[in-house]
Structures are given as structure tokens and as C-alpha cells.
Amino acid sequence: MLCSLTIALQLPECTATRRSLPVLSPRLSPGWTLTVLLGSSGWCLDSVCCCRLPPPGPQLSGDKLRVGTMNRLGSVQRKMPCVFVTEVKAEPSAKREHQPFKVLATETLSEKALDADVYNAVATEKVDGTCCYVTNYKGQPYLWARLDRKPNKQADKRFKKFLHSKENAKEFHWNTEEDFKPVPECWIPAKEIEKQNGKPVPDENGHIPGWVPVEKNSKQYCWHSSVVSYEFGIALVLRHHPDDPGVLEISAVPLSELLEQTLELIGTNINGNPYGLGSKKYPLHFLTPHGAFQVRNLPTLKHNDLLSWFEGCREGQIEGIVWHCGDGCLIKVHRHHLGLCWPLPDTYMNSKPVIINMNLDKYDCAFDHQSLFNKFSKIDKQKFDRLKDITLDI
């Protein structure tokens, strides 16, 4: 059994640690342990895993309780497998235009999900945007955009021809020096991907996941650059309000607190804007840390129960679910895996009020008047009924 809690602790500046604490709450029995990730710069809110430790002595087969040791929720560095075994049907895809087939979930849980102990994982909302990563570049924390290294035309033809005759894409032989399109010198491969002889191995789609740094005023990644300020070392972040999990908060977060995390960039010009944010004249974008929105009251891990939950519950009006497992593995299910539509006219994310927390007084210099940070500072402390209602026509 896994019980997920949320906790806020006041810490000295520049403190970052992970502690295990005994549970003193009368609601929980003795013998439980809290695993807490404590951040820096004062108040820090993060997800906490509460796991009962097994009793001393030999373990009984079939009665083992695993202790999850998650440093933090969410690090999307490779393609996430589906929680169910999938099958391909020769029907037009509702997810991708011009794709003549669908990938649908069967009723069988996948081996990867079972091996990762998905039953004891933390379930979170899958947010629809584009994946980003924060790591150091030029001596400071930087936002990085997802850029997969893809095969050139000749290699892609050979790969697709091979797939028609074979079932396992891993049997294909790649020449990583010659088979792939060039990428910028600053490109880095994603962590956790398979390597052979020190070189990254393409995934089952023939892609090598990776990242490129988002430079200030980048034209190609202009919406990415709009949510960060390297001068002040901050990012525009959407997450739960620290004092009220029923309320969302948009705030400026130090990039140093987001180091080695992956996040989702969402907004007006990303993936068709499924959440209805901003407008063409006043575009609105921000980052959401992966794992930020935990799913409550999730049904059992059965195909029909999940299908009913997505169709009939307000909380199910989301793109999908990502399970964060104790070994760091991420498992997902998308509405399309269950034959359901996305996007929706009214999402669960837009059912919650949101407050703006953009006090920039501590920064000496003025922000560019066109920047999102400056615009949000003008509506600081304002509360909106939903994200759709936020306007920046100030």
C-alpha cells in the first residue's frame, strides 16, 4: 500500500536534502516512514512518499512491501511505455493526422508496468505540451528544448523496410555516424537512454531523444524563451498553490530549484493549445513540472475501470495518466490508448481557480515591459476562476 502526502517545511537558505522521518500523525500507525525531498530557498513544497517498512527478519514470499525511493517526481528522459499491452489496428489515428493506424490498449497489464510495481506508484496527470529540461549550460541553469536526432532519408527507408519484415526494431543495425541528420554542437542526448560502446542507441521509432539549450530571444524556440529570464535566473511556473492544493498558482521560480527536472511547456502556441490559454494577440505560456498534479481517487488498474473513470469523472477530463514508480520508471496511459478523444472542450485543469504570485520587487532591475514576467507582475495577487480567464491585455 502506498499513501501519498504533501508537506511544506521551512528550511534555511541553500538547504537541499532528503530525509526519512517517523510518522507522528495519529491517523497513521507506527512503523510508517515519510520520505521527504526538501528544496532550497525557504518554503519548499514537494511530493512525499509514505511507505510502510517491512518488519525485521526474513520476508514472506508474496507478502513483500517495497519502499519507494523517489528523489523527485518526474524526469522524462525517454519514451514512456503504456501501462497495458498495446495492439495496432488498421484504422485512421485520432491522435496524429495522416496516420493510417491506431495504437490501442488491451486489457493486459504490461510486464514493464508490473516489474516497476505500478500498483504502488504515484499517479499524476499527463499534461499536454512539449517536453523541456533544466540543466546547466554556460555556467548557469538553462532551459533546454526537446530535439530528437532523426535518421536521414536513406536510413529511414532502410529502417521502415526492415520493420515490415521483422517484428523487433532492436535488431536493426544503425550507423550512428552516418545514418542521422546533423544536430547543433550543443545538442546532448537524453539521460537514461540505452548506449552501446558509449554511443546512444535509437529507440523503437529510430529516434535518439535529446536536448538543445534555449537561447535568449531564440526565434525557433521563442515560446520556450518567453517563460525564462536568464538575467534573473527564474522561470514562469504553474503548479498547485502551496497552502491550498485545490488552487493553482503561477509564480516566478528560481531555475536553480528546477535543476535536473523535466517540465512541460504549455500555452497558446503549443500543441494546438488544448487548455485554451491566452490569445493570438496576447499569447500566454508557462512551465509545469512533470508530476506536479497528482491524481486522486483513481480507480483500480483495470481497462474498463479506467475507461469509465476517463469518461464519467470530472478528474478524468485529462490527457492521460503517468505513474511514477519507486524505481524511477515512468508508465503512462493516454486517452487515445482507450479509444477516447483528446483534446476536450472542458479540461479538468480549467476547473480550478488560479492565483498569480509574481512579486518581483526583490529584483533590482526592471523587466522588459513586453515580457510575461512584467505582465504578470501587473496582475500580481489577482485570482481567476480558471486558467482560461487570464488575460494579459494590460
Side-chain angles (χ1 to χ4, degrees):
M1 176 179 178
L2 183 70
C3 173
S4 299
L5 304 176
T6 302
I7 191 168
L9 298 174
Q10 178 68 40
L11 297 174
E13 290 287 331
C14 302
T15 302
T17 185
R18 186 173 176 273
R19 301 177 185 171
S20 291
L21 307 171
V23 176
L24 302 180
S25 169
R27 297 183 182 179
L28 296 176
S29 303
W32 290 70
T33 295
L34 285 180
T35 301
V36 188
L37 180 67
L38 305 179
S40 60
S41 69
W43 282 101
C44 178
L45 185 73
D46 212 321
S47 298
V48 180
C49 291
C50 177
C51 307
R52 189 169 188 176
L53 295 172
Q59 299 296 306
L60 296 175
S61 178
D63 193 34
K64 295 182 180 180
L65 289 170
R66 295 179 56 185
V67 180
T69 54
M70 265 180 268
N71 288 334
R72 63 157 62 98
L73 291 183
S75 182
V76 182
Q77 295 281 347
R78 57 182 173 181
K79 186 176 177 63
M80 289 183 284
C82 182
V83 69
F84 295 107
V85 174
T86 57
E87 62 183 8
V88 178
K89 288 199 172 183
E91 300 174 9
S93 172
K95 185 178 180 181
R96 294 185 177 91
E97 276 190 79
H98 311 303
Q99 182 173 295
F101 61 89
K102 288 181 179 178
V103 179
L104 296 174
T106 65
E107 295 185 4
T108 305
L109 285 173
S110 71
E111 286 188 17
K112 287 184 179 180
L114 292 172
D115 290 343
D117 195 15
V118 70
Y119 284 110
N120 286 323
V122 177
T124 66
E125 176 179 348
K126 186 180 187 301
V127 178
D128 188 2
T130 183
C131 193
C132 303
Y133 175 45
V134 176
T135 193
N136 283 316
Y137 181 64
K138 295 182 178 179
Q140 69 178 98
Y142 248 69
L143 183 69
W144 294 61
R146 179 71 177 267
L147 179 65
D148 288 3
R149 194 173 182 194
K150 300 179 181 179
N152 55 40
K153 285 185 179 181
Q154 294 81 4
D156 191 47
K157 284 182 181 179
R158 284 194 294 111
F159 180 61
K160 287 179 178 176
K161 185 178 180 181
F162 178 87
L163 290 182
H164 282 297
S165 60
K166 300 284 185 178
E167 292 185 359
N168 191 351
K170 288 188 175 182
E171 296 177 6
F172 185 78
H173 176 70
W174 291 100
N175 184 331
T176 53
E177 300 294 333
E178 299 178 3
D179 289 344
F180 290 86
K181 296 176 183 178
V183 288
E185 288 186 10
C186 52
W187 179 88
I188 59 172
K191 291 183 177 181
E192 301 176 12
I193 62 174
E194 186 181 345
K195 291 185 178 180
Q196 287 182 358
N197 300 322
K199 295 180 180 180
V201 176
D203 61 21
E204 63 268 28
N205 298 314
H207 297 177
I208 303 175
W211 310 100
V212 289
V214 176
E215 297 286 6
K216 182 181 179 181
N217 300 323
S218 166
K219 289 184 178 180
Q220 183 176 359
Y221 298 107
C222 59
W223 308 121
H224 292 70
S225 64
S226 73
V227 299
V228 290
S229 169
Y230 296 131
E231 183 180 2
F232 300 103
I234 54 178
L236 199 61
V237 172
L238 169 74
R239 54 189 178 185
H240 282 301
H241 192 279
D243 299 325
D244 188 350
V247 175
L248 301 177
E249 177 190 70
I250 297 174
S251 61
V253 176
L255 280 165
S256 59
E257 288 190 9
L258 302 173
L259 270 172
E260 301 311 315
Q261 289 194 48
T262 55
L263 311 96
E264 203 76 5
L265 175 68
I266 63 175
T268 310
N269 297 288
I270 304 296
N271 275 12
N273 193 16
Y275 305 107
L277 306 176
S279 63
K280 185 176 181 180
K281 188 174 182 180
Y282 300 103
L284 171 60
H285 301 85
F286 32 72
L287 296 164
T288 297
H290 288 141
F293 303 135
Q294 191 166 332
V295 176
R296 312 289 178 180
N297 305 315
L298 196 66
T300 58
L301 264 173
K302 294 181 180 179
H303 187 283
N304 287 340
D305 290 343
L306 279 172
L307 182 63
S308 298
W309 182 82
F310 275 114
E311 285 187 308
C313 291
R314 188 71 185 96
E315 294 87 349
Q317 307 306 295
I318 59 179
E319 185 198 18
I321 301 167
V322 176
W323 285 270
H324 298 254
C325 303
D327 62 357
C329 185
L330 301 180
I331 308 290
K332 73 177 180 182
V333 68
H334 193 287
R335 294 179 68 92
H336 287 131
H337 286 133
L338 304 174
L340 299 175
C341 293
W342 179 264
L344 302 172
D346 190 20
T347 62
Y348 182 54
M349 189 180 287
N350 264 306
S351 70
K352 296 181 179 182
V354 57
I355 191 168
I356 311 301
N357 185 4
M358 201 62 57
N359 184 357
L360 303 177
D361 292 342
K362 61 182 177 180
Y363 299 101
D364 295 334
C365 302
F367 284 77
D368 186 309
H369 73 282
Q370 289 294 332
S371 77
L372 285 177
F373 295 95
N374 182 64
K375 291 178 179 179
F376 271 113
S377 70
K378 296 184 183 301
I379 55 173
D380 185 36
K381 305 307 178 188
Q382 287 193 34
K383 192 173 184 179
F384 299 86
D385 289 337
R386 54 184 188 167
L387 286 167
K388 278 185 176 181
D389 296 337
I390 298 175
T391 56
L392 299 178
D393 53 340
I394 305 163

